[in-house]
Amino acid sequence: MWLATQVSSFGWLMQSVAISWLMATISTSDLMVALVQASSTLPAFILSVFAGAIADNFSRRRVMFAGRCLMAVASAVLTGFVALGLVDPWTILGFSFLIGCGAAFNDPAWQASVGDIVDRRDVPAAVTLISVGFNTVRSVGPALGGIVVASFGPLTAFALTTLSYLSPLCAIWRCKWNVRSSPLPRESMATAIHDGVRFTAMSSEIKAATARGTLFGLTSISILALLPLVARDQLGGGPIVYGILMAGFGAGAFLAGICNSYFRRMMSQERLITLASIACAACCLSLALTPSLAVAAIALALGGAGWVITWTGLGVSVQLASPRWVVGRTLSIYYALTYGGIAAGSWLWGTVAENYSPTLSLEGSAGALLLVAATGFLLPIRQWKEQEQDPLVFKAPEVAVDLTSRSGPIVVKIEYSIPGRNVEAFLDQMRERRRVQSRVGARHWTLQRDLQDPSLWTETFRTPTWMDYLRLNHRLTAADKDLDQRLLELHAGELPPRTNISIERPTGPTRRRDHSTPFFSRR
């Protein structure tokens, strides 16, 4: 899979050079040139959340295969249009958008599959390897793409790209990996998306990584979006010069990926991402001021290093903060917002370049990147925790009546006996308990203290249905269960905390006939 992805990435980079240069030659609008980047990243903003829910509910291999098929078909049709001479700026943007749609479905499933293919402790290395592989290809792909475009024309580049997209299709068809299946039925799309958004909203690690990624994408994309204009106008070159500049960017990214583990041992992840943002700011400023190809290539190597360090660090943070049941959705939300930032940044800096100048646009981007570097004070990236996030095996409690999956609402009450000396520690643990229970599906979580027996505390929460209650317990991980042990140590008495499970039943003079039987269970 990794090797096939490199072949596909090689073709995609070649196609990016061909599309960008073709747009620069048939359109006089700087905004249309910058929108090439937006058209390929906007689909991820629109479709990623939906694609992530699909990846968590269906076979990730099949989702990847479908996304790759769309990329191959769109690329083949674009090649046909170029061969027939039927291209204009909007046609180019339209097919670029379609190829981006295929990538939007493929990427969350592929990234989520990393944790299925390798052990959790190897996820940071695997994510870095994927980034290193891509940026190794980036160091030669654009340069070769520029040579192909200059020597044989865009048609040849598009045809080779279409062939490269067949490689991952063959690999997905041949390769199989084990995925732990859930014993519960699939969720509806609306419920799956809602649960993914809720989990993301309640995870401080994922929220910080997503916010930082969105801001970084918004500000740093000017490097790639305006690079064709730098090559054409500022350096007075052609597609080969553009390819050399892209090769400089890729070489810096490759070297940074190779040294990434060494950098992580030297400094914290937060410090590393801050320095990477500053490096990208220096790259933007250098591109805005230099007329030298060599200086521009060196500056782009610095920018490429900052680019790969930032995206690798943020991506791994989201991976390690996400349990397997929701990782496709959290990654898709992360990619949706970060790609949305990239698309918005492409439009923003392209508009500034068209109305004022590319130099002013790059200088403004450099200043904005310095502000993004300072956001670490408000949204710090924590050190990676390689804790176990696989769900534990859960055995449903025995109940005294027949239930269907839609029976509910279900009310759960857990009673604790907490002596006075443990109250403060207990409240600290219950704050974490509320976050853990709520992000896996608990509703209306409350904590009550008995007025007649102050040592008696009751944790209460609800789920809409019996199936939601089962899903909640199937989603709890070993890390979440450690909290149960800490609470048990604070609990007084020979017996463990008592859990009561009941179903709500409406009462009143007028109500519809209901066959659901109220019940009460203890365990």
Side-chain angles (χ1 to χ4, degrees):
M1 283 299 306
W2 182 82
L3 289 172
T5 301
Q6 306 321 304
V7 174
S8 175
S9 297
F10 186 87
W12 179 81
L13 288 166
M14 186 184 300
Q15 186 179 60
S16 297
V17 172
I19 288 179
S20 296
W21 193 253
L22 182 61
M23 180 67 82
T25 56
I26 68 174
S27 175
T28 58
S29 170
D30 293 348
L31 177 59
M32 294 300 288
V33 174
L35 284 180
V36 170
Q37 290 289 330
S39 66
S40 61
T41 55
L42 188 60
F45 175 71
I46 299 173
L47 299 174
S48 278
V49 176
F50 183 69
I54 293 176
D56 283 334
N57 275 285
F58 296 89
S59 168
R60 288 169 183 159
R61 286 181 63 250
R62 294 181 180 179
V63 176
M64 292 165 61
F65 192 83
R68 288 290 184 177
C69 280
L70 178 57
M71 294 174 68
V73 171
S75 180
V77 176
L78 175 60
T79 303
F81 271 63
V82 173
L84 297 173
L86 302 176
V87 290
D88 57 50
W90 289 107
T91 299
I92 294 174
L93 292 179
F95 280 106
S96 179
F97 182 85
L98 284 177
I99 295 170
C101 288
F105 277 96
N106 171 81
D107 290 350
W110 165 231
Q111 295 292 337
S113 295
V114 171
D116 298 329
I117 297 172
V118 304
D119 293 334
R120 185 169 185 81
R121 65 177 180 273
D122 295 325
V123 167
V127 173
T128 302
L129 180 62
I130 291 172
S131 181
V132 167
F134 175 76
N135 288 288
T136 300
V137 176
R138 187 196 289 272
S139 64
V140 295
L144 184 57
I147 294 173
V148 171
V149 172
S151 303
F152 305 101
L155 177 61
T156 302
F158 291 138
L160 292 174
T161 298
T162 302
L163 293 176
S164 74
Y165 285 162
L166 300 179
S167 177
L169 285 174
C170 296
I172 295 169
W173 184 268
R174 291 172 58 88
C175 298
K176 295 182 180 180
W177 52 88
N178 294 324
V179 179
R180 182 176 177 177
S181 59
S182 173
L184 302 179
R186 295 190 181 102
E187 299 176 88
S188 67
M189 282 295 103
T191 301
I193 292 173
H194 176 269
D195 289 350
V197 172
R198 178 185 60 215
F199 187 93
T200 301
M202 302 195 70
S203 172
S204 57
E205 295 92 342
I206 298 175
K207 285 192 296 183
T210 301
R212 296 283 292 276
T214 303
L215 293 174
F216 181 78
L218 176 69
T219 52
S220 67
I221 192 57
S222 62
I223 297 173
L224 297 178
L226 302 179
L227 198 55
L229 303 179
V230 173
R232 185 191 68 185
D233 301 335
Q234 191 163 318
L235 301 179
I240 294 180
V241 170
Y242 177 59
I244 291 173
L245 294 177
M246 285 293 290
F249 185 89
F254 168 69
L255 292 175
I258 293 294
C259 301
N260 199 22
S261 60
Y262 173 73
F263 291 152
R264 292 202 310 268
R265 290 192 296 268
M266 288 182 57
M267 63 189 76
S268 68
Q269 192 61 39
E270 171 57 39
R271 177 69 61 83
L272 200 56
I273 292 177
T274 299
L275 292 177
S277 297
I278 295 174
C280 288
C283 173
C284 289
L285 195 59
S286 298
L287 290 177
L289 300 177
T290 183
S292 168
L293 175 61
V295 173
I298 294 173
L300 282 164
L302 184 64
W307 180 272
V308 75
I309 287 173
T310 300
W311 291 124
T312 298
L314 297 177
V316 173
S317 295
V318 175
Q319 282 263 12
L320 295 183
S322 305
R324 300 309 306 163
W325 66 269
V326 76
V327 65
R329 280 164 280 185
T330 56
L331 283 170
S332 69
I333 293 170
Y334 165 75
Y335 283 121
L337 294 177
T338 54
Y339 280 134
I342 290 173
S346 298
W347 172 84
L348 172 64
W349 304 119
T351 300
V352 174
E354 183 167 16
N355 293 332
Y356 298 96
S357 70
T359 298
L360 181 61
S361 183
L362 287 167
E363 290 173 345
S365 176
L369 276 165
L370 293 177
L371 294 178
V372 170
T375 58
F377 293 104
L378 299 176
L379 299 168
I381 301 298
R382 299 179 183 177
Q383 284 298 101
W384 295 337
K385 298 179 181 179
E386 299 179 13
Q387 58 190 9
E388 184 58 51
Q389 292 280 22
D390 287 335
L392 298 174
V393 176
F394 170 71
K395 183 179 180 181
E398 297 182 0
V399 296
V401 297
D402 293 333
L403 290 175
T404 67
S405 61
R406 297 178 62 84
S407 297
I410 304 299
V411 181
V412 181
K413 296 183 179 181
I414 306 173
E415 297 178 354
Y416 303 88
S417 179
I418 306 298
R421 64 180 182 277
N422 292 339
V423 168
E424 290 300 322
F426 174 74
L427 292 176
D428 289 338
Q429 297 298 326
M430 292 309 284
R431 293 186 187 97
E432 175 66 13
R433 174 80 165 185
R434 177 178 184 174
R435 185 184 68 85
V436 167
Q437 295 286 69
S438 297
R439 71 180 186 177
V440 295
R443 312 284 181 88
H444 309 296
W445 190 97
T446 60
L447 179 65
Q448 301 102 31
R449 189 177 193 181
D450 194 299
L451 293 178
Q452 296 178 318
D453 183 1
S455 66
L456 180 62
W457 296 78
T458 303
E459 173 192 0
T460 304
F461 63 87
R462 290 169 169 78
T463 62
T465 66
W466 178 245
M467 181 56 65
D468 290 315
Y469 171 75
L470 297 179
R471 289 193 194 282
L472 181 151
N473 285 278
H474 276 284
R475 291 168 175 173
L476 293 173
T477 66
D480 297 332
K481 286 296 184 180
D482 288 343
L483 182 57
D484 290 347
Q485 183 60 38
R486 295 196 295 270
L487 289 170
L488 183 60
E489 294 172 357
L490 299 174
H491 173 76
E494 298 180 357
L495 297 177
R498 185 175 61 180
T499 299
N500 302 324
I501 308 172
S502 59
I503 187 170
E504 286 187 351
R505 181 67 179 268
T507 58
T510 58
R511 57 184 175 86
R512 293 182 299 174
R513 188 176 180 85
D514 193 348
H515 295 286
S516 62
T517 305
F519 74 96
F520 187 87
S521 174
R522 291 185 177 179
R523 61 178 174 89

